[in-house]
Amino acid sequence: MLVNTKEMLLDAKRNHYAVPHFNINNLEWTKYILEKSEELKIPVILGVSEGAAKYIGGYHTVVSIVTGLMKDLGITVPVAIHLDHGSSIDSCLKAIDAGFTSVMIDASKYPLDENINITKKVVDYAHQKGVSVEAEVGHIGGTEDNITGTSLNATLGDCITLYKSTGIDSIAPALGSVHGFYQGEPNLDFVMMRRINETLPIPLVLHGGTGIPNYDIEKAIECGIAKININTDLQAVWSKAVRNFLLKDEKVYDPRKVIGSGEDSIKQRIEEIVVLFQTKRG
Ligand code: 13P
């Protein structure tokens, strides 16, 4: 069932678990994630960065792949197609028009007033079409696709102002996580995370899920995180499996075998992540 993220994330916030957001890169990954989510009977968010959408062919192609697979594979669990780090109003509107059920508008590089103006325009359009909107406050650092930069933590005041001025459905406050692998241990601001969660009625999103130790993931969920974004982790797991496969068999040339050699590793890792995200479930 194709849905927006609103209900699934509110349920996660109420019941102390996190819905996984897995970034997709191609048809095969989408298929693996959908199959595993159906097997585990969990709602799932397919995160699509602008770079990944371009690589796949465009927003319409992404939607066709997801809806086609859902039909052919008989997927019954709730699935959201979510634009990850939409960089402009235009990009978000195009994704919505193509059939995305959820978008993130990331105007976090602008001053708060400008972030609010941009986010509000996306919310107004998205809500007319039943599409949910996530926005970012502060700035999540690290490297991912074309997103780079240093972190700037969110303040409670800015989170309240952004929420009240825009009516967003979920919020991604920068609280020390980064995209990609961490240099050393992550240093998440759990006190602020809990305060934001207790103050706002909307669910909190944690970006940069890769490399955060399990105990910190559990603590983040306890503090109110309802959606956790995972990208690099699955990329690393898949690449390792494919690299080993190619090293073992120098004669293989069938792309289905090459790409598919990462399937079991991705699926196993998804299961571990899903179990971790559900440990505190009430
Ligand atoms: P990682 O690549 O660190 O898992 O972060 C993913 C993410 O936050 C996507 O928005």
Side-chain angles (χ1 to χ4, degrees):
M1 194 189 9
L2 204 57
V3 294
N4 64 31
T5 61
K6 202 170 167 172
E7 284 312 314
M8 62 166 91
L9 294 186
L10 282 171
D11 188 70
K13 179 177 166 106
R14 273 193 298 270
N15 294 301
H16 312 291
Y17 66 97
V19 176
H21 154 137
F22 293 118
N23 283 80
I24 58 169
N25 290 285
N26 54 25
L27 180 142
E28 287 84 351
W29 284 49
T30 312
K31 182 166 173 275
Y32 306 153
I33 295 165
L34 287 174
E35 283 174 342
K36 197 67 196 176
S37 303
E38 183 67 25
E39 184 195 318
L40 298 172
K41 293 279 169 257
I42 52 140
V44 71
I45 298 167
L46 302 174
V48 187
S49 67
E50 290 175 346
K54 199 167 161 200
Y55 171 80
I56 291 170
Y59 294 143
H60 291 97
T61 314
V62 170
V63 173
S64 299
I65 286 176
V66 175
T67 51
L69 283 170
M70 285 178 69
K71 222 179 215 172
D72 285 340
L73 301 172
I75 302 296
T76 59
V77 293
V79 176
I81 313 177
H82 173 80
L83 178 65
D84 190 23
H85 292 284
S87 62
S88 65
I89 298 170
D90 185 54
S91 182
C92 289
L93 268 48
K94 282 196 172 115
I96 294 167
D97 287 344
F100 277 52
T101 60
S102 181
V103 293
M104 174 193 190
I105 171 68
D106 181 359
S108 64
K109 64 175 182 236
Y110 299 108
L112 186 65
D113 281 359
E114 188 65 7
N115 188 347
I116 288 171
N117 282 338
I118 294 170
T119 301
K120 178 87 173 77
K121 290 198 174 88
V122 173
V123 169
D124 288 346
Y125 190 80
H127 283 182
Q128 277 176 43
K129 312 240 166 187
V131 169
S132 47
V133 181
E134 173 185 326
E136 180 172 322
V137 206
H139 191 71
I140 298 159
T143 315
E144 185 182 66
D145 265 7
N146 52 359
I147 315 150
T148 53
T150 41
S151 308
L152 174 70
N153 274 17
T155 64
L156 180 62
D158 284 359
C159 290
I160 296 171
T161 310
L162 181 73
Y163 164 65
K164 288 203 169 152
S165 323
T166 61
I168 46 171
D169 303 286
S170 61
I171 189 162
L175 293 171
S177 64
V178 298
H179 294 115
F181 291 114
Y182 287 82
Q183 317 269 347
E185 285 259 313
N187 183 16
L188 302 180
D189 187 344
F190 293 109
V191 174
M192 183 57 77
M193 206 178 270
R194 198 185 285 280
R195 281 182 70 197
I196 298 168
N197 183 52
E198 284 168 358
T199 311
L200 298 186
I202 52 170
L204 264 54
V205 178
L206 178 64
H207 280 247
T210 299
I212 299 181
N214 288 1
Y215 51 84
D216 273 354
I217 291 280
E218 287 178 10
K219 207 164 166 190
I221 295 169
E222 245 175 62
C223 292
I225 292 291
K227 169 179 182 269
I228 303 180
N229 292 12
I230 304 279
N231 185 22
T232 311
D233 190 321
L234 294 190
Q235 291 186 334
V237 159
W238 179 84
S239 303
K240 188 175 171 200
V242 173
R243 194 171 293 118
N244 285 340
F245 177 74
L246 288 172
L247 286 172
K248 265 196 225 137
D249 185 349
E250 288 193 359
K251 293 208 172 80
V252 65
Y253 54 81
D254 183 338
R256 291 167 298 185
K257 289 190 180 150
V258 176
I259 298 172
S261 65
E263 174 175 352
D264 290 349
S265 304
I266 283 200
K267 285 185 166 172
Q268 193 190 326
R269 186 67 191 125
I270 289 174
E271 184 155 349
E272 287 165 10
I273 290 169
V274 166
V275 169
L276 175 65
F277 287 6
Q278 303 261 350
T279 38
K280 300 281 165 185
R281 187 163 188 157

